[in-house]
Amino acid sequence: MIHKNLVILTGAGVSAESGVPTFRASDGLWEGHRIEAVATPEGFAANPALVQDFYNQRRRHLATVQPNAAHRALADLAARWDGDFLLVTQNVDDLHDRAHAETPPASGFELIHMHGELNKARCTASGVVCDWTGDLEAEQASPHHPRGRMRPHIVWFGEMPLAMERIEAALERCDLFVSIGTSGAVYPAAGFVQLARMACARTVEINLQPTQGARLFDEGVYGPATEAVPAFVADL
Ligand code: OAD
């Protein structure tokens, strides 16, 4: 089958073998933390020091890990894909970015971080987003606005994911949709497969095991991402 317009959604499972913890595993990130405390605007307002520290630790850890064979296989695919290829990640790590920097993509490729990026910070007053690889202080002054503070550029619960119009437009015209390493527990990303089905796209789930929404996909490929993704990409 020849496919032209590809949308791939990735989640924490694609970065797990790089050493980045997933969210919902028994040893996952949400196991040791109260989501409301570290991943909501209300939590940040109540205790900015706690929230900044949570993301500071994750940002420091990110500097110690590397892209894995799954990220690299997707970068190789992006380099040779002759059509539109939108890679939407829910991950706030920069492992896809680093893999694509090593293997520059073809012109029809775009990468969207729909839940934000750990290595960026946002001014609370102006909304300006800038690169930020160091720690953020509890009340980090903004270089962009006299009354602004810098917060992590992360989409928290209750906030709108980024670039949704662009993502939905790509889903409406895709003919292949692949969901990799995501539990499908968080909307709107969990609903992308239905939008792709409405476009009559072939839909594929790649995961360690079938997820709750597995029946929504035409096919499932089950195994660790570093093996399953390179094998799937080689077959395309
Ligand atoms: P989850 O932790 O919910 O799910 C991770 C998925 O990856 C599970 O389905 C695992 O089976 C799978 N997985 C784990 N290791 C894998 C491996 N080596 N190879 C393949 N699959 C593997 O993480 P997400 O679905 O990404 O949002 O979570 C979605 C969102 O929930 C996150 O972006 C985050 C979180 O709350 C925000 O922070 C806004």
Side-chain angles (χ1 to χ4, degrees):
M1 214 182 308
I2 303 291
H3 300 292
K4 193 81 183 139
N5 298 324
L6 169 62
V7 177
I8 294 186
L9 171 70
T10 64
V14 82
S15 297
E17 289 162 88
S18 291
V20 181
T22 64
F23 293 92
R24 294 178 178 78
S26 55
D27 57 350
L29 210 49
W30 292 153
E31 213 35 51
H33 295 92
R34 279 178 50 237
I35 294 182
E36 317 82 69
V38 295
T40 62
E42 295 76 19
F44 185 57
N47 193 343
L50 175 89
V51 175
Q52 297 286 28
D53 182 54
F54 176 74
Y55 293 100
N56 287 343
Q57 286 183 35
R58 297 184 61 202
R59 200 178 298 110
R60 284 185 211 160
H61 180 250
L62 183 53
T64 69
V65 301
Q66 300 296 330
N68 65 43
H71 301 105
R72 287 196 297 272
L74 295 177
D76 288 343
L77 182 66
R80 62 183 164 81
W81 188 260
D82 179 22
D84 290 342
F85 177 178
L86 178 65
L87 176 56
V88 184
T89 187
Q90 298 168 89
N91 299 343
V92 297
D93 67 52
D94 65 346
L95 297 179
H96 283 306
D97 309 68
R98 284 192 244 162
H100 292 281
E102 282 167 21
T103 311
S107 58
F109 177 77
E110 190 180 351
L111 169 62
I112 291 177
H113 284 269
M114 65 177 289
H115 289 167
E117 292 173 73
L118 208 43
N119 281 337
K120 291 191 175 165
R122 193 189 323 148
C123 170
T124 55
S126 67
V128 171
V129 174
C130 60
D131 291 339
W132 204 287
T133 51
D135 285 355
L136 283 162
E137 291 171 18
E139 303 283 345
Q140 182 77 47
S142 169
H144 305 288
H145 194 283
R147 285 187 304 281
R149 294 277 180 272
M150 297 309 285
R151 56 163 276 182
H153 181 49
I154 303 284
V155 175
W156 286 325
F157 286 93
E159 296 181 324
M160 186 60 113
L162 308 173
M164 282 307 297
E165 278 185 24
R166 170 76 192 93
I167 297 168
E168 283 167 12
L171 286 164
E172 280 165 16
R173 56 191 300 272
C174 76
D175 47 29
L176 174 60
F177 172 73
V178 188
S179 174
I180 305 175
T182 175
S183 60
V186 173
Y187 280 83
F192 289 175
V193 60
Q194 270 125 331
L195 292 180
R197 286 171 72 94
M198 282 196 263
C200 298
R202 174 186 168 203
T203 55
V204 184
E205 161 169 279
I206 302 180
N207 201 299
L208 275 183
Q209 69 242 332
T211 63
Q212 275 186 348
R215 65 189 160 74
L216 296 171
F217 292 84
D218 299 319
E219 296 157 50
V221 178
Y222 298 109
T226 55
E227 294 170 22
V229 175
F232 178 79
V233 162
D235 276 353
L236 266 186

